[in-house]
């Protein structure tokens, strides 16, 4: 038979064992919750990265098109057009680049046409100004020398 002291120790050991089982169950629940939170965090991270890549692509594609248009104009291809139908800021900028290209193309045609009949310096001066100020003319004081050399005419 067990003494009273041994019986109290056995009861206390049984109580501790029950508490340990209870703590292990709670720890198991905590581990399951931790695993669920890690999975949820990984899913949220994946969604955020995917959304970031999508938004980056949404911005970079129009910028690449704008860059290629500017490079074309820089190389002298004024006939290049973006013809954007977008109503956002990229569409506005695309339309402005198209207008600039059209203006440069028209200016180049005018320069080429005038250059056939007028000196290049005169064409540059005409194209330098817009509107009526290019056609006003200038007043200058000049000296003209007329010389007639004997027996020099054919």
């Amino acid at each position: 038979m067990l003494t009273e002291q041994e019986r109290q120790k056995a009861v206390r050991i049984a109580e501790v064992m029950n508490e340990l089982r209870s703590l292990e169950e709670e720890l198991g629940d905590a581990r399951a919750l931790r695993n669920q939170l890690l999975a949820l965090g990984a899913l949220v991270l994946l969604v955020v990265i995917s959304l970031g890549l999508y938004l980056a692509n949404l911005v970079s594609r129009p910028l690449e098109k704008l860059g290629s248009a500017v490079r074309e104009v820089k190389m002298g291809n004024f006939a290049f057009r973006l013809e954007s139908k977008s109503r956002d800021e990229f569409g506005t900028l695309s339309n402005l680049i198209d207008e600039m290209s059209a203006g440069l193309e028209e200016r180049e045609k005018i320069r080429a046409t005038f250059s056939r009949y007028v000196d290049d310096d005169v064409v540059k001066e005409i194209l330098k100004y817009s509107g009526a100020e290019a056609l006003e003319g200038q007043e200058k004081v000049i000296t003209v020398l007329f010389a007639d050399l004997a027996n020099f005419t054919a």
Side-chain angles (χ1 to χ4, degrees):
M1 219 97 210
L2 295 175
T3 65
E4 184 63 30
Q5 193 177 19
E6 291 174 337
R7 203 174 57 189
Q8 286 177 356
K9 283 184 183 180
V11 168
R12 181 69 184 135
I13 289 174
E15 288 174 357
V16 170
M17 292 296 285
N18 284 337
E19 285 181 35
L20 281 175
R21 281 190 208 105
S22 174
L23 288 174
E24 283 180 7
E25 288 175 7
E26 288 179 24
L27 184 60
D29 292 343
R31 285 183 183 151
L33 181 61
R34 180 197 64 193
N35 291 341
Q36 289 174 351
L37 288 175
L38 284 174
L40 181 63
L43 180 64
V44 167
L45 184 62
L46 183 65
V47 168
V48 167
I49 288 173
S50 298
L51 185 61
L53 290 174
Y54 171 75
L55 291 175
N57 198 19
L58 201 63
V59 171
S60 66
R61 277 190 196 158
L63 284 177
E64 288 174 4
K65 288 180 182 178
L66 290 171
S68 67
V70 170
R71 277 190 292 281
E72 288 291 327
V73 171
K74 179 183 174 187
M75 291 187 302
N77 181 7
F78 303 130
F80 184 83
R81 300 289 185 271
L82 288 168
E83 298 174 359
S84 175
K85 293 174 180 49
S86 176
R87 293 178 176 254
D88 60 2
E89 292 84 0
F90 293 117
T92 302
L93 188 55
S94 297
N95 293 333
L96 290 172
I97 289 174
D98 285 348
E99 289 175 20
M100 179 188 68
S101 295
L104 290 171
E105 183 178 27
E106 181 180 2
R107 185 180 182 102
E108 183 60 26
K109 285 179 183 175
I110 291 170
R111 189 198 61 73
T113 301
F114 271 122
S115 291
R116 290 186 210 157
Y117 308 106
V118 182
D119 185 54
D120 280 338
D121 292 335
V122 175
V123 174
K124 286 178 186 175
E125 193 67 26
I126 290 172
L127 292 176
K128 185 172 152 182
Y129 301 100
S130 62
E133 57 196 31
L135 304 175
E136 288 178 355
Q138 298 175 350
E139 285 187 28
K140 291 188 177 184
V141 177
I142 61 171
T143 303
V144 178
L145 172 66
F146 290 97
D148 186 18
L149 301 176
N151 297 322
F152 190 70
T153 56

